[in-house]
Amino acid sequence: MKLLLYVGGDATRTRMFLDAFTERLPDAHIRVWEAGDTAPADYALVWKPPVELLRARPGLKAVIYLAAGVEYLADLLRRNPGLLPANVALLRLEDAGMGRQMVEYAKYHVLRYFRRMHEYDLDRGKREWRKRPPEALSGFSVGVMGLGVLGRQVATDIAEMGFPVRGWSRSSKQIEGIRCHAGQGQLGDFLDGLRVLVNLLPLTPETEDILNRDCFDRMRAPGYLINIGRGHHLAEGDLLAAIQDGRIGGAALDVFRQEPLPTDHFFWSEPRINITPHIAAVTLNDEGIAQVVQKLRALQDGLPVSGHIDMARGY
């Protein structure tokens, strides 16, 4: 089994992955891709690969993307039609320890907004001692956009805390305890009256800027946004305007159009926006590597493999 490895040119990560795969796949021949390498490979294990790595690669059976979000790869293939033969399988990581972290991040911010801690933080800055009445749990609806492996976990765990939870996805889903909506035709019903919106959608041309003025207008004011999908899902100016006019009470943003977030970006100056540096869920290396090894062995044995990327959908 010939493996071609590339993780964006990061020497430290390259060495870590190379050592790990060498240890777990002792019978495989593993090499790190370098410019000019056009030799055959059975499988490419990649993150943000250049076009040259994939073009006309002899013997290639599958590409395994070393992340759960695949918008970079999907965009690369859209911009370079025919780059890979149709019989080359495209696979991605699934969860790899990220589900638990996403649940923790989402639950923390849902509870923090529900208990009005964001308001007490603002009071502290003004040295004000002010008690507020508690919210009613039954009327505090939480919506989760994106019901894949990660979104399903987030929605289910929030529902288990007693919150009424809705879910929205491109295709129909059935999840116990969750009111599921699907497609553009049901997006309005999903959004109407939400207090908190959690976004975990994959980024596609159809979902870019989906978190916009129309979305915020349908929520019950003051709503709250938790974006742990991708930065390009959010129309940034629409969010700032919605916060300033009171339709949205605040936001927890972990992903941005430009990362790191520029120091002069207007989000830094808005105290009702909680900013984290893309850490809501980080791939756990051991779990990710174990998953890739499992996929490779299944492919070699002709067994079914999960985590296929559907290029028609872009994820």
Side-chain angles (χ1 to χ4, degrees):
M1 179 166 49
K2 297 177 182 177
L3 304 179
L4 189 61
L5 176 66
Y6 182 81
V7 289
D10 184 315
T12 301
R13 292 187 71 217
T14 296
R15 172 50 58 184
M16 184 275 297
F17 276 112
L18 183 61
D19 290 346
F21 286 128
T22 299
E23 178 183 354
R24 299 191 189 202
L25 296 166
D27 296 330
H29 179 267
I30 309 171
R31 71 181 190 276
V32 176
W33 183 82
E34 296 179 353
D37 179 347
T38 59
D42 297 309
Y43 305 103
L45 316 178
V46 300
W47 181 74
K48 294 191 174 182
V51 170
E52 293 74 21
L53 186 153
L54 300 175
R55 179 176 286 133
R57 179 67 52 183
L60 192 61
K61 301 173 185 175
V63 174
I64 300 180
Y65 200 67
L66 300 175
V70 297
E71 63 274 5
Y72 174 91
L73 181 62
D75 183 62
L76 184 73
L77 296 177
R78 274 194 297 265
R79 289 187 287 104
N80 296 274
L83 181 61
L84 288 175
N87 64 338
V88 174
L90 298 175
L91 305 168
R92 61 175 176 82
L93 291 185
E94 306 159 271
D95 196 337
M98 291 183 286
R100 175 184 56 77
Q101 298 172 70
M102 285 286 194
V103 167
E104 293 168 348
Y105 189 97
K107 287 171 68 174
Y108 168 78
H109 285 287
V110 168
L111 285 171
R112 192 171 185 276
Y113 192 67
F114 175 67
R115 291 299 308 271
R116 308 182 74 166
M117 297 301 173
H118 61 294
E119 296 180 62
Y120 293 121
D121 281 349
L122 294 174
D123 288 348
R124 183 178 186 276
K126 296 179 287 185
R127 301 190 182 190
E128 290 185 0
W129 182 277
R130 179 183 173 193
K131 295 182 179 181
R132 292 174 169 82
E135 295 260 15
L137 188 69
S138 60
F140 199 89
S141 296
V142 178
V144 177
M145 300 182 84
L147 297 175
V149 174
L150 302 180
R152 179 183 294 258
Q153 291 182 57
V154 169
T156 300
D157 273 54
I158 292 175
E160 288 176 353
M161 292 193 295
F163 292 99
V165 177
R166 308 174 200 167
W168 184 83
S169 55
R170 172 175 171 164
S171 56
S172 296
K173 302 286 175 65
Q174 289 187 341
I175 305 172
E176 185 176 355
I178 311 298
R179 284 179 52 197
C180 294
H181 301 71
Q184 286 295 326
Q186 296 183 18
L187 181 57
D189 289 341
F190 162 76
L191 291 168
D192 282 343
L194 286 180
R195 287 303 309 279
V196 176
L197 177 59
V198 185
N199 175 52
L200 293 103
L201 287 168
L203 180 62
T204 69
E206 291 74 28
T207 63
E208 185 168 357
D209 289 328
I210 195 169
L211 305 174
N212 56 31
R213 177 178 176 176
D214 291 340
C215 169
F216 305 140
D217 283 347
R218 286 186 173 272
M219 297 175 68
R220 180 181 155 200
Y224 195 78
L225 173 67
I226 301 172
N227 188 19
I228 44 182
R230 287 292 184 264
H232 283 78
H233 285 131
L234 176 62
E236 296 180 339
D238 288 3
L239 174 63
L240 186 64
I243 289 176
Q244 291 177 342
D245 69 19
R247 284 173 293 153
I248 296 295
L253 306 180
D254 186 58
V255 288
F256 304 90
R257 289 177 176 265
Q258 182 179 345
E259 296 182 4
L261 186 66
T263 56
D264 60 350
H265 195 284
F266 51 76
F267 281 166
W268 290 111
S269 301
E270 175 48 71
R272 290 163 289 189
I273 294 178
N274 186 285
I275 294 170
T276 49
H278 206 142
I279 50 78
V282 179
T283 301
L284 301 181
N285 290 330
D286 286 347
E287 294 188 28
I289 289 165
Q291 190 179 128
V292 172
V293 169
Q294 183 182 38
K295 291 181 189 293
L296 287 170
R297 287 175 174 160
L299 288 167
Q300 282 291 91
D301 294 339
L303 299 174
V305 181
S306 61
H308 283 271
I309 301 169
D310 183 344
M311 280 304 300
R313 295 186 174 188
Y315 56 92

